[in-house]
């Protein structure tokens, strides 16, 4: 008998009673009457910023108004004025000087303020290496909960995506909250 088997047998011998697994189907996901307002509230709660694009307002003007100091803007979105295109760089290192990455989210979640951002560009490093991020979402793509979000998440040609919820955060060091430790230090979601 292996030491692993001895450990597992010891655990099984000392289990006092079985615990039934919860009934997943009995869990009722949260629903919001006004998912848009709740989403905006949660984006702010997790340390991000939410900007409502006014009808007829140019999205590039909204971006520049919120990030006037950004010198290097990276985006592969055809309607964004950018200095670098993540589809055109030879390797991710060319994105090291990006002040602002502009991405498009496909699903936004009201319960936690996160946005599903699929990799639609060659170099996904722009999602993490940029000092600041702007994520653009359509108000019709806001759902109440993660259950609904996972139903809408679909893969792209790059087969990668992630949920982003506000700026990067960690509280590992001296139990103090540090923003922007591993990725973007500032995130703005523009809702159109």
């Amino acid at each position: 008998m292996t030491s692993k088997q001895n450990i597992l047998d010891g655990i099984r011998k000392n289990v006092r009673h079985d615990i039934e697994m919860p009934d997943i189907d009995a869990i009722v996901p949260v629903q919001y009457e006004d998912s848009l307002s709740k989403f905006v509230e949660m984006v702010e709660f997790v340390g991000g910023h939410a900007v409502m694009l006014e009808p007829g307002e140019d999205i590039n003007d909204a971006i520049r108004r919120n990030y006037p100091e950004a010198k290097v803007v990276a985006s592969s979105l055809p309607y964004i004025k950018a200095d670098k295109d993540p589809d055109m760089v030879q390797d991710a290192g060319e994105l090291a000087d990006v002040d602002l990455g502009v991405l498009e989210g496909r699903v936004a979640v009201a319960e936690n303020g996160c946005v599903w951002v699929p990799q639609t560009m060659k170099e996904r490093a722009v999602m993490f290496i940029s000092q600041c991020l702007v994520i653009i979402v359509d108000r019709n793509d806001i759902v109440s909960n993660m259950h609904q979000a996972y139903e809408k998440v679909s893969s792209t040609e790059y087969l990668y995506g992630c949920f982003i919820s506000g700026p990067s955060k960690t509280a590992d060091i001296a139990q103090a909250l540090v923003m922007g430790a591993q990725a973007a230090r500032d995130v703005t979601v523009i809702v159109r």
Side-chain angles (χ1 to χ4, degrees):
M1 190 177 300
T2 66
S3 58
K4 177 182 176 182
Q5 191 61 48
N6 285 335
I7 292 169
L8 293 173
D9 289 344
I11 291 170
R12 286 187 192 99
K13 185 171 72 175
N14 289 301
V15 171
R16 306 273 186 250
H17 59 280
D18 288 334
I19 298 172
E20 293 295 319
M21 295 297 291
D23 180 10
I24 293 281
D25 295 327
I27 298 172
V28 179
V30 64
Q31 291 290 331
Y32 298 103
E33 284 186 36
D34 186 356
S35 293
L36 174 60
S37 294
K38 186 63 177 180
F39 175 71
V40 168
E41 174 189 335
M42 292 308 295
V43 166
E44 299 288 336
F45 180 77
V46 298
H49 313 285
V51 172
M52 303 299 294
L53 196 63
E54 298 298 325
E57 182 179 11
D58 181 49
I59 198 160
N60 290 291
D61 293 342
I63 291 168
R64 282 291 171 199
R65 185 174 57 253
N66 285 279
Y67 293 95
E69 298 91 29
K71 290 179 179 58
V72 180
V73 177
S75 182
S76 62
L77 301 172
Y79 55 90
I80 298 300
K81 294 176 187 169
D83 306 299
K84 291 189 176 187
D85 184 339
D87 285 336
M88 300 305 198
V89 298
Q90 294 301 313
D91 66 30
E94 293 179 48
L95 299 170
D97 63 343
V98 171
D99 297 311
L100 181 65
V102 182
L103 313 167
E104 198 168 61
R106 297 283 168 82
V107 182
V109 186
E111 77 176 324
N112 56 15
C114 72
V115 180
W116 173 254
V117 181
Q119 180 183 353
T120 56
M121 73 290 293
K122 184 179 93 174
E123 285 296 342
R124 69 177 172 222
V126 74
M127 301 163 84
F128 310 105
I129 202 169
S130 301
Q131 290 294 313
C132 302
L133 284 179
V134 166
I135 305 172
I136 302 163
V137 297
D138 190 290
R139 68 183 63 232
N140 297 319
D141 292 331
I142 300 173
V143 298
S144 285
N145 57 63
M146 290 298 289
H147 297 268
Q148 294 168 328
Y150 277 111
E151 288 174 6
K152 290 182 167 269
V153 166
S154 61
S155 62
T156 62
E157 74 175 281
Y158 293 104
L159 302 177
Y160 177 84
C162 64
F163 282 102
I164 298 176
S165 182
S168 166
K169 308 170 224 19
T170 185
D172 294 347
I173 305 163
Q175 297 178 340
L177 182 62
V178 177
M179 304 292 252
Q182 295 96 2
R185 60 182 165 79
D186 188 76
V187 174
T188 296
V189 178
I190 296 180
V191 180
R192 59 177 171 196

